[in-house]
Amino acid sequence: MMLGLKKDKKDEDSGGITPYLSLEKTAVLQETRTFNETPLSARKCIHVLAKIIYMINQGEQLTQNEAREAFFATTRLFQCKDVTLRRMVHLVIKELPTAPDDAIIATSSLTKDMTGREDGYRATAIRSLCKITDITMLTAIERYLKQALVDRNPAVSSAALVSTLHLGKDNSPAEMVKRWTNEINEALSSDNVIVQYHALGLMYSVKKHDRLAVSKLLAKYTKGGVKSPYATCLLIRIACKVIEENEQDSNSALIDFLESCLRHKSEIVIYEAARALCNLPNLSGKDIAPAISVLQLFLSSPKPTLRFAAVKTLNKVASKYPSSVTMCNLDLEHLISDTNRSIATLAITTLLKTGNEGSIERLMKQIQSFMSEIPDEFKIIVVKAIQSLCIKFPNKHDVMINLCSTMLREEGGYQYKEAIVNTIIAVLEANPGSQDTALHHLSEFIEDCEHGVLATKILHLLGREGPKTKSPSKFIRYIYNRVILENPTVRAAAVTSLAKFGAVCPDLKPSILVLLRRCLHDSHDEVRDRATFYLHVLETNNPSLINYYILDNLQASIVGLQSLLVHYIDNPSAQPFNLNQVPITTSPAEVTPSSKTDDTVMAEPRKPTVPTKTRQEELAEKLAEIPEFGRLGPLFKSSPKPLELSETETEYYVQCNVHTFQQHVVLQFDVTNTLQDQQLEQVTVQVEGENYHVLGHLPCPLLTYNTPGTCYTLLQLPDDPSLVPTTFTCTLKFLVKDCDPTTGQADDVGYEDEYVLEDMEVGVNILFQRVFKTNFIASWEEMDSQNQADETYTLTAAKSLQDAVEQLVTFFGMQPCERSDRVTEGKNSHILLLAGQYLDGNECLITTKMVFDGAVNLKISARSANPDISDLLVSSI
């Protein structure tokens, strides 16, 4: 009989069928009639109570009447003396949603159980009583709770401490709990490890708002007196919180305490101390060396939990202090063959973070044999670690790309293959030298790719990057095979990719035209339409049309386009829809696969198709809701990130966003009052800047403690664009009222005050929006060379070419093209390509040739349809 009831461990891991799986709420509530039977069957009642608890824990919602009936039925069981049944009754009463008026019925019975001699259910009675008792009734049981805190039975004492801790979360009971300090201190001296742990937690909860009291608590117990390892762990966490809040020079005693815990006899204390030291801010690699040594010892522990904890902590530390974790590499390599695959995965990803360039090839071989033994979710973690390693060691990209291509040919799900493809693309973006190798492996992958989404993504990548390679013709075969063999979504993407090869590579254009004509007979209308369109554009031999319709991606904001289309449909007009009114996007539009696809593609996991709003779109919506700004027209540009006009530690923290319209500038000031005893009203920021005229202010009516508020200043944009760059002096002005920090009640009368902010610089970048150019050279040659302006400069402040590139990109506020914002390591010359759109809609391009010889010497050339814009760009530095 007993053997038949036992389950094999494998069956337990796979999950057994619970007897409560198909419970119905109505049937269970009807079974509570069993509680009225005479004689009462304790075993049957326990079974019914277990069903009720299961339903509640599964999220089953009971109506007020259902909960009340179940509660009253359960209280009838107090007449039974069975210990197990009584404990179940306490548990059900604690879990049932009970009205305060109904709870009074069970209060006397629970109080009797709490103060009785039967230790078997005194602890459960305390928990239930504290859960259902109303605040007004607490004074009636205060004496019993105080006695229970120091009860000789550890279970009773622990239950009282934890219940009191939950009571202390509300304001009124918290004041009552503070009067029990003597009893809590007595519980802290208990020999029981759990009681001492709970007592320390309650004591900290009482004193946590008093820094001096917390410091005294730490000073008393960090020197000794805590025998419980759990209490010591809690003490470590309290110490860490205090260290993070206090100044660095006052933490030496607490850091010494943490280091002393590394020599504790309990393993959980040692680990907690080591983890705490590793997570503390402002510590150097030398300071955490003792903690690293302890974690290294845990790596060879026979206990899987210790090995997992140690390697997980080291994995996190390796991101910040890779050199400090290097000493553990030998032990980490041994863990690659650990039977616990979670430990092995963390070990290999940690090695990828700490490895040096010389050990890359050996690590890649270990990973290759390791990957076949772990599930996809662990493989994805390893692949992302490889991606970080590729960026860290660009010279080893061939080895890592070859490993990724091998993994692409192995079995795996969609998310795993997507992670590998994203890694290869990231390597290609970061290392231009890996372009041919990466595209070749991706081209081979789409030959047998089961996932249409990935094939489409790779085809668009081939269309963008393939024409720039040394021999672009070798990719045509892979692309055209997709036209023959794949579903309509992939075929349409392949047609677009072929057209881009024909647009960029003149020698391949005749062959591309032949292939596109074959696509005119495709069975799907989307493929035929694309082929017809691209064929017609390519046959015009017009570089401007080819560049605009084939190479340049859609620059319109998807969210903005959607909004304007909805408005156009809701408000019919005789005028055609004007695409020029759509705001341009600050990030390239992603090509989303068509919904017309086969069942295989539809079954793949997809990201949400709802377009997400960019920061500028969110700010534009916020400004559009303000009636005073309705006459300004569409928003042209917002600053990419807010400018800080004060420090976060000051009385008033102020940030500014600059919004550019056709003839106006709106300064949005986000203000936070960090003073708890002040309330600000009618908050404005007065600005003064040369060549700018202030048209008005929109104040923030009320600014309470730690609640951000926004005020606006409207400026007239100078007619001469060369006068746009200026420095504003900013002053925060407001009406201040003193208020009670505890209640937040402010005085009726206030006084005017002001606060001087830091100066704010505005540059020429507010006049230019970013524009993406897939083929910059074609766009440059297409633009009239007679409108070109040139100038030479020396940037003495730039420490390197990369520094100069970053400064110029920020200064002009334009989009770097063809990865020219990345300077190849070791080179002393570079060309930066920038593309943008001026306030009036004219596109402008910049070519900057720079050489580093102690300082950065550069020649800047600008082209635009308007020669004045070209002159403005080259003269503004």
Side-chain angles (χ1 to χ4, degrees), residues 590-604:
E590 293 291 336
V591 181
T592 304
S594 171
S595 59
K596 300 177 182 179
T597 180
D598 58 8
D599 294 337
T600 304
V601 178
M602 290 300 292
E604 296 171 2

Side-chain angles (χ1 to χ4, degrees), residues 116-163:
R117 296 182 179 180
E118 180 56 62
D119 290 340
Y121 48 69
R122 288 177 62 201
T124 56
I126 292 173
R127 293 191 182 96
S128 299
L129 188 60
C130 291
K131 177 68 182 296
I132 69 171
T133 302
D134 187 50
I135 294 175
T136 58
M137 298 291 293
L138 281 176
T139 53
I141 63 171
E142 179 181 0
R143 178 167 60 90
Y144 303 118
L145 279 177
K146 288 175 66 176
Q147 292 174 356
L149 291 176
V150 293
D151 196 276
R152 289 179 295 177
N153 189 319
V156 175
S157 179
S158 178
L161 289 165
V162 174
S163 300

Side-chain angles (χ1 to χ4, degrees), residues 20 31-35 37 39-51 77 85 88:
Y20 304 133
E31 288 185 39
T32 58
R33 297 173 182 175
T34 308
F35 303 162
E37 294 179 355
L40 198 64
S41 172
R43 184 173 183 179
K44 190 183 295 185
C45 294
I46 290 172
H47 189 55
V48 176
L49 292 174
K51 290 180 180 180
L77 298 178
L85 177 59
M88 286 294 290

Side-chain angles (χ1 to χ4, degrees), residues 227-234 236 257-258 260-276 294 298:
K227 299 177 183 178
S228 168
Y230 310 114
T232 307
C233 289
L234 179 57
I236 290 171
F257 164 69
L258 296 181
S260 69
C261 290
L262 296 174
R263 300 181 290 276
H264 200 276
K265 60 183 179 180
S266 173
E267 291 173 336
I268 63 171
V269 174
I270 297 173
Y271 170 70
E272 186 67 32
R275 188 184 69 88
V294 168
F298 283 169

Side-chain angles (χ1 to χ4, degrees), residues 51 299 656 725 852:
K51 290 180 180 180
L299 292 176
C656 179
F852 183 74

Side-chain angles (χ1 to χ4, degrees), residues 191-371:
D191 293 331
N192 186 276
V193 294
I194 297 297
V195 172
Q196 194 176 50
Y197 166 60
H198 289 155
L200 180 61
L202 179 57
M203 182 63 78
Y204 174 69
S205 178
V206 170
K207 298 184 175 183
K208 63 183 178 182
H209 298 296
D210 187 347
R211 287 193 175 187
L212 181 59
V214 172
S215 299
K216 290 181 178 179
L217 181 69
L218 285 172
K220 179 179 179 181
Y221 289 104
T222 54
K223 296 177 181 177
V226 177
K227 299 177 183 178
S228 168
Y230 310 114
T232 307
C233 289
L234 179 57
L235 207 60
I236 290 171
R237 296 190 179 188
I238 297 172
C240 290
K241 189 172 183 179
V242 172
I243 290 173
E244 292 174 1
E245 293 174 352
N246 292 347
E247 295 295 330
Q248 182 66 23
D249 54 2
S250 62
N251 294 327
S252 57
L254 295 179
I255 293 177
D256 291 341
F257 164 69
L258 296 181
E259 292 181 350
S260 69
C261 290
L262 296 174
R263 300 181 290 276
H264 200 276
K265 60 183 179 180
S266 173
E267 291 173 336
I268 63 171
V269 174
I270 297 173
Y271 170 70
E272 186 67 32
R275 188 184 69 88
L277 283 169
C278 292
N279 291 339
L280 282 178
N282 303 322
L283 289 186
S284 64
K286 184 179 179 181
D287 295 329
I288 65 171
I292 300 294
S293 301
V294 168
L295 294 173
Q296 185 179 10
L297 293 175
F298 283 169
L299 292 176
S300 55
S301 170
K303 299 178 181 179
T305 50
L306 276 180
R307 296 200 303 274
F308 176 79
V311 73
K312 184 178 180 182
T313 304
L314 288 172
N315 183 275
K316 186 177 180 180
V317 175
S319 302
K320 190 176 181 181
Y321 306 105
S323 58
S324 300
V325 185
T326 305
M327 59 185 290
C328 306
N329 280 2
L330 185 60
D331 299 278
L332 290 169
E333 288 185 19
H334 292 156
L335 292 181
I336 295 177
S337 57
D338 196 288
T339 54
N340 187 310
R341 296 290 85 186
S342 298
I343 295 175
T345 304
L346 285 169
I348 197 69
T349 52
T350 306
L351 284 169
L352 290 173
K353 293 178 181 179
T354 60
N356 52 48
E357 196 165 359
S359 63
I360 295 298
E361 294 185 14
R362 179 168 52 85
L363 274 176
M364 294 301 108
K365 291 179 181 178
Q366 288 178 308
I367 291 174
Q368 194 165 353
S369 60
F370 164 76
M371 293 293 279

Side-chain angles (χ1 to χ4, degrees), residues 731-744:
T731 305
L732 184 69
K733 294 190 176 183
F734 46 83
L735 179 71
V736 59
K737 293 182 178 179
D738 296 330
C739 64
D740 189 343
T742 56
T743 63

Side-chain angles (χ1 to χ4, degrees), residues 27 104 342 537 876:
I104 298 175
S342 298
V537 173
S876 60

